[in-house]
Amino acid sequence: MSKQDEELIAEYQQGNDEALNMLFHRYKMPVFNFALRLLGNRAEAEDAASEVFLVLVSKKEAYQPKAKFSTWLFTVTRNACIDRIRKRKNIFSLWFTNSSGEQEQWEIPDDDGETAAEHAARRETAHQVKSVIELLPPMQKEALILREYQGLKYEEIAHILGCSLENVKVLIFRARERLRVELASSILEDGDE
Amino acid sequence: MNNPADIKYLISCYLDGEVTLEEKRIVEDALRKDPALKKYLDDLKKVSASLSSWTDENLSPDLEQKLERHIQSAGKGEGRTMTTSSFSIPMKTGAAAVAALLVLITVFINIERNEQLARLKSIRQVNEQIALSTLDSKQSQSSDQPVPSPVYGQKGQTEIQPLALREQEKYEADVLSDKLMAPVTEKKIDEGFFRIEQTAGERADKSKVDRVAKAETPKTLEMRATEIAGAMQAEPYKEANRRNIAVARSTESVASTKDGYLSSSAGPAQYYSLGGQIPAAPYPSKGRISDGEMYYPISPAENFNTEEYDRIYENAFLSSVENPLSTFSIDVDTASYSNIRRFLNGGQMPPKDAVRIEEMVNYFVYDYPQPASEEPFSITTEAAPCPWNPSHVLALIGLKGKELTAVEAKPSNLVFLIDVSGSMDEPNKLPLLQSAFRMMVNQLKADERIAIVTYAGAAGLVLDSTQGNEKPTILSAIDHLQAGGSTAGGAGIQLAYDVAKRNFIPGGNNRVILATDGDFNVGVSSDSELVRLIEEERDAGIFLTVLGFGTGNYKDAKMEKIADKGNGNYYYIDSINEAQKVLMHELGSTLFTIAKDVKVQIEFNPAHVKAYRLIGYENRMLAKEDFNDDTKDAGELGAGHTVTALYELIPADSGEEVQTTDELRYQKREAIPSNEVMTVKLRYKKPEENTSRLITRILNRQDISQSSVSDNWLFASSVAEFGLLLRDSQYKGNASYQTVLERAQPAKGQDPWGYRAEFIHLVEKAGMLNPGPTPVPVYMNK
């Protein structure tokens, strides 16, 4: 039976580095992929993810048990991403290519048991999905990603985004509406995807 | 029960299991009763399912190892924990993270920053090289062409300035609008990370933003439509729109989904192309409603869309017995093409009414001969079997304006009238304009003048008319342009014209250039007043050009109209390349009007032509009497510009039926025997004159080629065919993306700027969006 996050972080704060290592491995994918979907490119996402984990490395007390560990972690990640986006826009936004600059090379990792055709179809869908999500306004995008890709409850999402629960419901609803409309012709019409 | 939106919203929560028992009951009830809602739920499930196609990625292995190592050596920092335990940290965990970050700065952030800067630098360098090389190749094209001196002077030294680093950081206010039922959050999470704030100015902006972004009910759209229609009614230009081309003001705005297109009212990302890089929309700036209605209207059904296009009723085949004369005004607007490009680059088909075929065809420059001595332009005619309907003939009529030598080129007196409302703050709007503007400034000559007036924000005279050699002053003014601020009414277009008048250059290129994303709050009280002002000034010699930016609020129809009135052109700027093209090559002193009020009238010989159809130009049709009427306004032609028109002809011996009236009882129609197929007549005025001159050109039977056609004809016809496909025209015959590519590809020619290659690319994109029975071949040599 694996230990709870809060237990692990407490252990780490008492000096057990291995506990942090376990947390790292537990959360490396969620943190990195959350950042990746927000920022749109691997390089920045890796930077952001590193930043997040290194915070814990350098400052054990960075996390206080006022909130769930995962909430805190996602909040820090989100902040790191927003900071990067803001810097992007202010300084070199006209020139700095982010996500879509790498669109050509974007490859989806293979799923086991997929045929080449299935993989191609999935990649096509993924491209579309990605581009629609990219266009969502920030809060909607974040809420949707946290819900659909991290599977968080609305309550937790509300904490991370710093808004009310009601708000989260609306954000997710709107994001889904947008997706539904944008993907209408490709995803919904042909029912067997 | 409640309104449908509420239920759908509940269904969304229901899908995630985040409903109270009561709500659950309500939803399940509704689902049982209404199959449409059941479908909605299924759709949402499908959407969720499709999201999973975007699978997670792994961290790079070496990064993972690096982090692991750091973590494992974390224990070595025992000493630190002792000190921090007594350190009372402010309870915002973000602040704690910042403290940690500061500690890390020298180790980590600096490295990161250098890497980033190096990356950015290399990107900029690549970009400079691209720009350098394209300019170079254009220069070497023809020596008699008055090419402006290159902007990119010395190697490595570029005039492209990055966006001015703002002295005061602008914090993005991610404002949660009142619709979202939450109070405006003024929580400061942390200094170093993300601040949510709202200044008074932003609140003021928001109300304006609200006005536009609030759902326009069908009623309000109708009302505005009739108001504008009424204004247009009063205008003489309206006459040009009569006959079979009723231009109905359509508030339908975008292609309805029944045509099978995506609701393209949901705008694509804002694009600016740097050799193919397409950034996504960044975080919105202050004062924006975060749920996105400003940028991307959700769906036609919800009527949030504020993009507007006039409906186009295509020209039909007309019998040459009944209608021997076809009269139209020339058009060198190109906005439709760049607009279409924007949609296709965004992965969507453009709305049909946004497709103006003549603008697409005229986006490209064709290789017509220079005019003989006296005349300001040459007329070229060429005809061959019509590609999409081989029993028809496709006739091309090309005009080429005389090139001016550097000596002859007249200096410009330009006044930029720039919309600085909050909505212009996006990278593809004001900043884009600024970048292109800087490039243009660098090629201004000493005897040219530039002024800048702003409106809809902090309005007024930003830069009084300044000579072209005072570049630092001008550049500084450009740098200080900022979107946002409260609206100062009044200042605007009148001021711009006044400045232009004060600095009028007789015989020069006097022009007001309006740059906006759709906001026409230029300080006049009504549309008709605006039109009147523009016409008056045009008559006094100050023309108007319109530059359109952005998506979502885009008033294509309106912008085109006012540019028409001002004897100017209308451009849609979707990328830095387009901005460059327009500002440097079209607006500079190389654009000099050499003929105004240019009208074309063609008489068809019924002995050879049973019927004809003008492709495009629906908005440009004139009554036949207007041709000889010098008081009737028409288009203008600039030095070196080409204008192309295409007619699809049904030969007299064709079996096709064309609608005709009965034989007249009191008049006999007698054709005069001749080998002439048609006569092309052109009327134009010299810019300072008010009496028109006439040029005539005849196309003979034997001129119709069966075998060889020029690249011009091939390329123009392929663009037209593409347009027919995009419009899904009833006249498209056997048109297909494949045949378009088959003709366009070999006719690409030198293509120094790559526009034709880009066209081919767009056709491929459209082809992929519309897979037919035969797949579209993708040309690899890009």
Side-chain angles (χ1 to χ4, degrees), chain B residues 4-235:
Chain B
D6 282 349
I7 263 293
K8 287 186 175 176
Y9 159 80
L10 273 183
I11 291 180
S12 166
C13 303
Y14 173 79
L15 180 63
D16 293 327
E18 302 253 6
V19 283
T20 62
L21 275 172
E22 174 66 22
E23 289 168 339
K24 180 161 190 261
R25 194 182 56 77
I26 294 174
V27 167
E28 286 173 350
D29 245 357
L31 286 176
R32 259 196 304 274
K33 293 199 188 118
D34 187 352
L37 286 179
K38 181 84 180 50
K39 169 150 199 316
Y40 182 80
L41 177 61
D42 286 338
D43 283 353
L44 285 193
K45 288 182 184 165
K46 283 190 192 157
V47 165
S48 274
S50 70
L51 289 182
S52 62
S53 65
W54 186 7
T55 46
D56 279 356
E57 287 183 39
N58 290 315
L59 280 162
S60 339
D62 27 38
L63 178 67
E64 222 183 287
Q65 277 168 19
K66 184 170 98 175
L67 287 173
E68 257 188 320
R69 258 181 284 124
H70 274 285
I71 290 171
Q72 265 137 22
S73 58
K76 313 296 183 290
E78 292 295 270
R80 211 175 283 145
T81 39
M82 311 269 224
T83 54
T84 51
S85 56
S86 57
F87 175 52
S88 99
I89 303 169
M91 280 310 101
K92 300 286 182 192
T93 55
V98 146
L101 211 57
L102 286 174
V103 164
L104 282 175
I105 263 186
T106 51
V107 174
F108 200 66
I109 301 300
N110 262 343
I111 302 173
E112 202 191 312
R113 177 162 292 186
N114 288 338
E115 275 178 41
Q116 212 179 41
L117 283 177
R119 235 183 282 143
L120 292 165
K121 210 194 250 182
S122 67
I123 289 169
R124 268 185 39 194
Q125 277 170 0
V126 167
N127 212 43
E128 286 164 32
Q129 278 161 20
I130 293 172
L132 268 166
S133 64
T134 49
L135 248 187
D136 279 347
S137 60
K138 168 102 172 135
Q139 252 199 317
S140 61
Q141 198 188 4
S142 60
S143 53
D144 55 333
Q145 205 168 26
V147 176
S149 56
V151 166
Y152 314 97
Q154 305 77 29
K155 176 135 169 85
Q157 168 110 62
T158 178
E159 308 289 7
I160 305 173
Q161 317 254 348
L163 294 179
L165 290 172
R166 316 238 170 131
E167 283 147 270
Q168 192 201 344
E169 285 230 67
K170 287 174 114 178
Y171 295 103
E172 292 151 45
D174 203 352
V175 176
L176 307 176
S177 83
D178 353 274
K179 288 188 206 164
L180 297 184
M181 293 173 286
V184 172
T185 322
E186 297 197 292
K187 178 165 33 159
K188 288 183 206 247
I189 294 184
D190 164 71
E191 304 294 312
F193 281 113
F194 183 61
R195 184 183 295 182
I196 308 172
E197 251 181 20
Q198 211 187 4
T199 65
E202 288 159 355
R203 275 185 240 267
D205 259 3
K206 179 165 121 58
S207 58
K208 181 152 69 102
V209 149
D210 269 343
R211 168 165 55 85
V212 182
K214 260 195 183 64
E216 296 247 9
T217 65
K219 190 122 188 273
T220 60
L221 284 174
E222 262 307 300
M223 279 164 34
R224 261 199 306 123
T226 34
E227 177 200 303
I228 293 173
M232 296 316 295
Q233 202 70 286
E235 301 315 315

Side-chain angles (χ1 to χ4, degrees), chain A residues 138-154:
Chain A
M139 297 279 286
Q140 279 184 31
K141 181 163 147 181
E142 290 159 23
L144 186 77
I145 292 175
L146 288 171
R147 170 69 212 123
E148 294 276 1
Y149 290 103
Q150 308 301 340
L152 300 185
K153 294 235 146 272
Y154 286 6

